[in-house]
Amino acid sequence: AEQGCDVAKLPLGKISLRMVQAGFSALQAIEKELAKPAPSATALAELSSRFYTVVPHDLGFRDLRRHVISDVGALRRKLRLVEDLRQLHSARAVVHRAARAYPGPLPNPVDAQYE
């Protein structure tokens, strides 16, 4: 995926509100560390690891130090990712509720126009 999220490890049915909240919480901690006059590289590495544990990413066998969220730009990209995941979770919930409301196959919208 463009934002690095590993969709193979995170099928849409597995997105949970708890996961989204934990990812956001980890990013808030990173934001707090980045706001310090001299952010700790060790703290940023640990907090980034916490984020990547909660929101699986396809980092392969690359040097993980290259993926530390250590600047505001990287933080913003990850915040967008978490927001996108939250929206996917919400959309999936709506579709799931609609599917339960209409047991059986849904009519084709084009066919419905001609009935």
Side-chain angles (χ1 to χ4, degrees):
E2 182 178 314
Q3 301 220 20
C5 188
D6 188 355
V7 293
K9 290 184 181 175
L10 186 66
L12 294 180
K14 300 294 182 184
I15 297 173
S16 71
L17 192 54
R18 174 183 270 165
M19 182 210 64
V20 170
Q21 290 170 337
F24 185 68
S25 174
L27 292 174
Q28 284 180 312
I30 292 170
E31 181 178 40
K32 196 181 258 186
E33 185 64 32
L34 287 173
K36 293 179 179 178
S40 164
T42 303
L44 288 172
E46 289 173 5
L47 293 168
S48 296
S49 178
R50 187 173 112 197
F51 173 74
Y52 291 128
T53 299
V54 175
V55 181
H57 281 65
D58 183 13
L59 302 177
F61 292 106
R62 299 181 207 143
D63 184 4
L64 294 179
R65 289 176 292 186
R66 293 180 50 212
H67 298 285
V68 172
I69 303 167
S70 59
D71 61 68
V72 176
L75 177 64
R76 284 187 186 138
R77 286 189 297 277
K78 296 306 177 186
L79 283 168
R80 265 183 294 189
L81 170 66
V82 170
E83 177 60 22
D84 290 346
L85 290 173
R86 186 193 65 77
Q87 289 177 2
L88 283 170
H89 175 267
S90 298
R92 185 183 168 279
V94 168
V95 169
H96 184 70
R97 281 194 302 273
R100 282 195 319 220
Y102 296 101
L106 292 175
N108 183 318
V110 174
D111 293 340
Q113 294 295 320
Y114 296 100
E115 290 180 354

